Amino acid sequence: MTSKKVVFVDMDGVLVNLMPYILGQMNKIHRTEYTAEEIQQFRFLGQFKEFTWPPLAKVWAFDKSTCPPIKGSVKGLTSMFKDESLDVFIVTSPWVSNYDCCRKKREWLDH
């Protein structure tokens, strides 16, 4: 009996770059010009005083048209799923203060 190798693939920063999308949307809403280099943590609230929850919740209305996969990630992931020697799992950390985060990430993966 041959055991399969287990591979965990992170969603954020591997399959999709959510951070630049979210930051760009928040900059548009609040007319700010924060850059990715200024981000110290994924939690925007509290880090940038202008960013507030109601607009931030709307930003999570992303899909593959507004937040496309990282170049090559779909091809690589498809290749891993086809490899019968691998058990592949996609992992991600939900944004716990956003009740819709898990559903939106799942929808992004499903499409």
Side-chain angles (χ1 to χ4, degrees), residues 19-70:
M19 189 63 69
Y21 166 77
I22 293 169
L23 181 61
Q25 294 300 307
M26 292 303 287
N27 277 332
K28 285 181 193 175
I29 291 168
H30 294 288
R31 296 185 178 125
T32 54
E33 295 181 10
Y34 291 113
T35 65
E37 291 76 29
E38 294 175 272
I39 298 171
Q40 298 172 1
Q41 58 185 356
F42 196 78
R43 304 180 111 205
F44 285 112
L45 299 179
Q47 184 175 352
F48 303 125
K49 64 181 184 209
E50 298 90 350
F51 292 5
T52 58
W53 177 243
L56 192 54
K58 292 177 185 176
V59 167
W60 279 96
F62 65 88
D63 59 30
K64 284 190 180 165
S65 67
T66 57
C67 203
I70 293 173

Side-chain angles (χ1 to χ4, degrees), residues 6-109:
V6 177
V7 178
F8 295 100
V9 179
D10 191 10
M11 184 175 173
D12 303 314
V14 177
L15 300 178
V16 61
N17 277 327
L18 291 176
M19 189 63 69
Y21 166 77
I22 293 169
L23 181 61
Q25 294 300 307
M26 292 303 287
N27 277 332
K28 285 181 193 175
I29 291 168
H30 294 288
R31 296 185 178 125
T32 54
E33 295 181 10
Y34 291 113
T35 65
E37 291 76 29
E38 294 175 272
I39 298 171
Q40 298 172 1
Q41 58 185 356
F42 196 78
R43 304 180 111 205
F44 285 112
L45 299 179
Q47 184 175 352
F48 303 125
K49 64 181 184 209
E50 298 90 350
F51 292 5
T52 58
W53 177 243
L56 192 54
K58 292 177 185 176
V59 167
W60 279 96
F62 65 88
D63 59 30
K64 284 190 180 165
S65 67
T66 57
C67 203
I70 293 173
K71 185 177 180 177
S73 65
V74 173
K75 183 178 178 181
L77 189 62
T78 300
S79 176
M80 285 191 285
F81 276 125
K82 288 180 180 179
D83 186 333
E84 294 183 12
S85 70
L86 302 176
D87 266 339
V88 181
F89 298 90
I90 297 172
V91 296
T92 190
S93 179
W95 195 347
V96 294
S97 59
N98 182 342
Y99 69 92
D100 208 26
C101 177
C102 289
R103 182 178 67 81
K104 294 305 292 183
K105 285 186 172 191
R106 178 60 189 241
E107 286 174 359
W108 188 93
L109 288 168

